[in-house]
Amino acid sequence: MKIQGKVWKFGNDIDTDVIIPARYLNISDPKILAQHCMEPIRPNFSSLVDKGDIIVAGKNFGCGSSREHAPLAIKTCGIQVVIAKSFARIFFRNALNIGLWVFEIPELYNLTKEGDRMIIDLKKGFIEHHTTKEKFTIPQYPAFLQQIINSGGLISYLLKNHRRK
């Protein structure tokens, strides 16, 4: 599977209250959540994102409270991959649980500007940075995690593969 899109760049310590402000946590509709993604620092972010776009962020992306609303808002607004220097562990796991690809590739941050374009080849395991022409190896997840993400998340995976008989 290949993902191609433009980069949206964010700094260090982007917390879940920035990704989706707490006042929207009583909303369960992913489309409405997506409308408010990154609202505190980038109003109208979701209306500017194209399906397939990529977030490149600094360290500790997704810190703060544990909420699946944050990766769900990111994914639903069209972002297909988040690449960061590092992630808060609970955000990382929540992202996988809802089917959002996340990769820690620290060296990519300083080489990337907002608006750059990238191709991510998940099958072959690399990122091609169109602007710099450099290639980066992406970490390979175990097969079961790849199946969960490709199914659209943990719930979808379980419904497809583990129905009671």
Side-chain angles (χ1 to χ4, degrees):
M1 180 169 128
K2 287 186 180 179
I3 297 168
Q4 183 171 325
K6 83 174 162 249
V7 169
W8 296 92
K9 194 165 179 184
F10 293 92
N12 297 327
D13 303 312
I14 300 298
D15 70 29
T16 53
D17 284 326
V18 167
I19 297 168
I20 186 69
R23 66 183 170 274
Y24 300 114
L25 294 182
N26 62 343
I27 296 169
S28 59
D29 183 340
K31 291 179 183 175
I32 296 173
L33 290 171
Q35 293 171 4
H36 301 287
C37 186
M38 302 297 190
E39 189 174 78
I41 58 174
R42 295 254 178 101
N44 302 316
F45 173 72
S46 66
S47 66
L48 303 171
V49 171
D50 293 319
K51 185 170 175 47
D53 282 356
I54 300 154
I55 288 177
V56 174
K59 61 184 177 179
N60 203 26
F61 187 86
C63 58
S65 60
S66 170
R67 54 179 79 154
E68 285 187 348
H69 293 71
L72 186 60
I74 289 171
K75 180 182 173 186
T76 306
C77 80
I79 298 293
Q80 286 195 277
V81 178
V82 179
I83 303 165
K85 286 184 174 183
S86 65
F87 290 93
R89 292 291 111 197
I90 193 69
F91 177 89
F92 189 88
R93 187 59 211 196
N94 282 339
L96 298 177
N97 283 346
I98 62 96
L100 176 65
W101 288 99
V102 288
F103 297 108
E104 288 186 349
I105 307 174
E107 64 274 15
L108 191 62
Y109 184 79
N110 291 332
L111 300 172
T112 304
K113 294 184 201 112
E114 185 148 311
D116 285 353
R117 300 199 63 79
M118 292 183 185
I119 294 176
I120 301 171
D121 190 321
L122 296 167
K123 188 173 184 177
K124 292 182 180 176
F126 71 85
I127 296 170
E128 182 180 334
H129 191 291
H130 273 256
T131 307
T132 66
K133 305 297 184 203
E134 293 185 66
K135 284 190 177 182
F136 299 86
T137 302
I138 56 175
Q140 291 296 302
Y141 291 124
F144 78 94
L145 270 181
Q146 291 180 37
Q147 291 172 349
I148 289 170
I149 298 167
N150 288 330
S151 294
L154 183 59
I155 300 294
S156 297
Y157 172 79
L158 292 172
L159 289 173
K160 289 177 190 173
N161 296 294
H162 298 284
R163 291 192 183 269
R164 287 190 172 181
K165 297 181 181 182

